[in-house]
Amino acid sequence: MLGNTNPCPVCMGTGKLSVSGEVFRSAREVLNLSRQELADACGLSHVTIRNVENGLTNPNRETLQLILEELNSRGVQLELQHP
């Protein structure tokens, strides 16, 4: 058998990035930010933040990176990794 038979833990073999919205929600709440405040800081809509947190959307890498960078800039250290 060629290659690794285990799916990527980030994209689960789909090639798309996946992240638990609960991680973002927890980080946002630790920082005492509303969804709107985080959205404004990221240049996104509060609906996008809500959908990511509730797992209603599988955001692209750029959207995830915007959120991560904002949270990181406020002291919550999260990383997005993908092979």
Side-chain angles (χ1 to χ4, degrees):
M1 204 172 222
L2 296 175
N4 187 350
T5 59
N6 294 324
C8 167
V10 177
C11 72
M12 297 308 291
T14 66
K16 296 180 180 179
L17 296 171
S18 179
V19 67
S20 168
E22 194 60 39
V23 171
F24 286 135
R25 176 183 291 125
S26 294
R28 180 179 58 76
E29 289 174 349
V30 163
L31 294 170
N32 200 29
L33 289 173
S34 70
R35 286 182 179 150
Q36 186 65 58
E37 290 168 325
L38 179 58
D40 290 345
C42 295
L44 301 168
S45 75
H46 74 280
V47 173
T48 297
I49 301 297
R50 181 196 68 208
N51 288 346
V52 169
E53 288 183 353
N54 291 330
L56 300 175
T57 187
N58 189 9
N60 62 36
R61 185 178 186 90
E62 291 173 13
T63 299
L64 291 175
Q65 199 64 43
L66 286 170
I67 297 169
L68 286 173
E69 287 174 5
E70 185 58 34
L71 295 172
N72 287 344
S73 76
R74 294 173 182 255
V76 175
Q77 296 304 305
L78 301 172
E79 291 182 15
L80 178 62
Q81 295 182 346
H82 193 270

